[in-house]
Amino acid sequence: MPRSASIPPSSIPLRLRHWRDWQSLLYLATLPLIVLWQWQHGWVWWLYAVELFLTLGVGVIHHNHTHLRMWRGRHSRWANRATDYWLTLLQGHPTFVFWPAHVGNHHRYRHSERDIARTYRFGGDTNHLLGYLAHPLQAAWVLYPLFIRWLGNLRRHWPGAFRYCMGQYGLWLGSWAALLLIDWKKALVLVIIPQLHGLHWLLATNYLQHAHADGRRISRAQRDTEGSMLNYARNFEGLVNPLLFNIGLHTAHHERPHAHWSELTELHDRIYRRRVDPALNEGGLLPYMARVFLGGLVWRSARSRSLMPPMEKK
């Protein structure tokens, strides 16, 4: 076969797009096993702690799978759809929402004034504990009308895609109803509360990664006179990345949204770390939260500084 000839995707056996996605599959398999064990044998505090952590992992896997589908090759379409439904079941919310809210809105507008869930839309340009706790509710308030409009457009123009999304709602709500009927206390403690915990982090991550960053849309021609084009996101370089699929390396992800998550470390180290304001390159996520959200309640020096010009904070 000539080198220029391409291999049809249908002739490639079904396989993971990248071998590092075995970590994703491990998380997706371990979470329901932990829930099932506790459902049968009783609540165990350290298993519950692992479960809560894995709900964060499911949210990040959902994010990564939206940007770059996990499966490729023969029957990959069905494998990716099955993964969507599995994520919906584990996450407690349909996976389709990431497309209009994250790809169509957040990645398109990059925390600018057209990003409907921008952190400085709600109560000004803040970065403190109350803003962090309130942001998931504020974001959900403005995002759900977006989902409704998007679904209405699907129903009118792409009824098959609309039914696919409605199937996710049916699976999510049906699973909650069935578990609540079987044992409402176990369902609440072992399934629903952990899923809500994961959804909190899924939405609150936007605040962690963008609060006090510069959301202005700066053109390349303006870059040298008005500052970096890349100061719209904060990066975390600590243990969060090997545990949660490099979710802390946010600038590299925004600039290369179709890169596999395993490639972000090299992109961050080689290109993006030196090109953003040093204040946006943090170490560990938890030390940052302790310093800014808790220490900032007492010491002014622990607080972050906004990179937004006053006239842009709206």
Side-chain angles (χ1 to χ4, degrees):
M1 177 183 296
R3 285 190 175 184
S4 60
S6 60
I7 301 175
S10 60
S11 66
I12 301 173
L14 179 67
R15 63 187 183 188
L16 288 173
R17 186 172 297 276
H18 194 286
W19 70 270
R20 291 287 301 276
D21 284 322
W22 280 106
Q23 182 180 351
S24 303
L25 295 184
L26 177 64
Y27 283 28
L28 295 177
T30 302
L31 176 57
L33 291 176
I34 289 177
V35 173
L36 180 61
W37 193 94
Q38 291 182 103
W39 191 288
Q40 294 179 336
H41 301 284
W43 183 85
V44 179
W45 73 265
W46 65 268
L47 275 178
Y48 198 70
V50 174
E51 179 185 349
L52 293 178
F53 166 75
L54 288 175
T55 62
L56 275 66
V58 168
V60 180
I61 295 165
H62 172 194
H63 165 269
N64 295 340
H65 184 61
T66 299
H67 280 284
L68 190 66
R69 308 297 269 172
M70 191 181 303
W71 300 97
R72 62 189 299 265
R74 191 182 305 123
H75 308 306
S76 60
R77 179 183 181 187
W78 300 108
N80 285 318
R81 287 188 172 189
T83 302
D84 282 339
Y85 277 100
W86 189 240
L87 286 166
T88 293
L89 189 64
L90 296 184
Q91 184 175 252
H93 204 276
T95 60
F96 82 84
V97 299
F98 241 114
W99 187 259
H102 185 71
V103 178
N105 170 63
H106 182 59
H107 267 261
R108 183 178 183 183
Y109 299 121
R110 299 186 181 189
H111 198 233
S112 72
E113 65 280 357
R114 297 184 67 183
D115 184 341
I116 65 172
R118 60 193 182 277
T119 62
Y120 53 94
R121 177 179 182 176
F122 311 101
D125 186 28
T126 65
N127 190 23
H128 49 53
L129 181 60
L130 180 60
Y132 163 77
L133 293 175
H135 184 74
L137 298 176
Q138 294 165 336
W141 180 260
V142 297
L143 287 173
Y144 243 89
L146 173 66
F147 301 154
I148 294 171
R149 292 193 301 271
W150 194 78
L151 285 170
N153 188 56
L154 284 186
R155 185 175 63 84
R156 289 188 298 271
H157 301 289
W158 294 279
F162 175 77
R163 290 192 295 271
Y164 180 64
C165 296
M166 289 298 99
Q168 293 177 8
Y169 271 115
L171 179 63
W172 161 41
L173 296 174
S175 67
W176 275 20
L179 292 173
L180 287 168
L181 285 173
I182 294 170
D183 190 320
W184 70 267
K185 292 181 180 179
K186 289 182 179 179
L188 186 64
V189 173
L190 297 178
V191 177
I192 295 175
I193 289 177
Q195 288 180 344
L196 293 176
H197 167 264
L199 288 171
H200 162 83
W201 280 91
L202 191 68
L203 292 167
T205 297
N206 186 61
Y207 194 86
L208 295 169
Q209 293 172 327
H210 292 283
H212 272 180
D214 189 348
R216 293 174 299 163
R217 295 302 300 269
I218 300 176
S219 69
R220 295 186 183 278
Q222 295 172 307
R223 177 176 54 189
D224 294 335
T225 57
E226 296 194 33
S228 173
M229 292 174 60
L230 303 179
N231 285 340
Y232 55 79
R234 179 176 290 105
N235 299 291
F236 298 98
E237 300 177 326
L239 193 59
V240 66
N241 292 313
L243 291 176
L244 292 174
F245 313 97
N246 286 334
I247 193 63
L249 306 179
H250 204 51
T251 304
H253 168 63
H254 263 285
E255 294 298 307
R256 305 286 182 89
H258 298 297
H260 190 267
W261 62 265
S262 63
E263 301 170 8
L264 297 181
T265 301
E266 190 271 337
L267 290 170
H268 176 73
D269 292 342
R270 180 170 56 87
I271 301 174
Y272 298 111
R273 177 193 281 127
R274 59 184 173 81
R275 294 178 58 191
V276 302
D277 190 297
L280 295 175
N281 286 325
E282 289 284 346
L285 172 62
L286 294 181
Y288 163 83
M289 295 179 69
R291 185 184 82 242
V292 175
F293 296 156
L294 299 181
L297 295 173
V298 182
W299 301 288
R300 182 177 295 272
S301 61
R303 302 168 190 169
S304 64
R305 61 179 178 87
S306 175
L307 299 181
M308 290 277 286
M311 67 182 64
E312 302 288 341
K313 300 175 184 179
K314 60 182 181 178

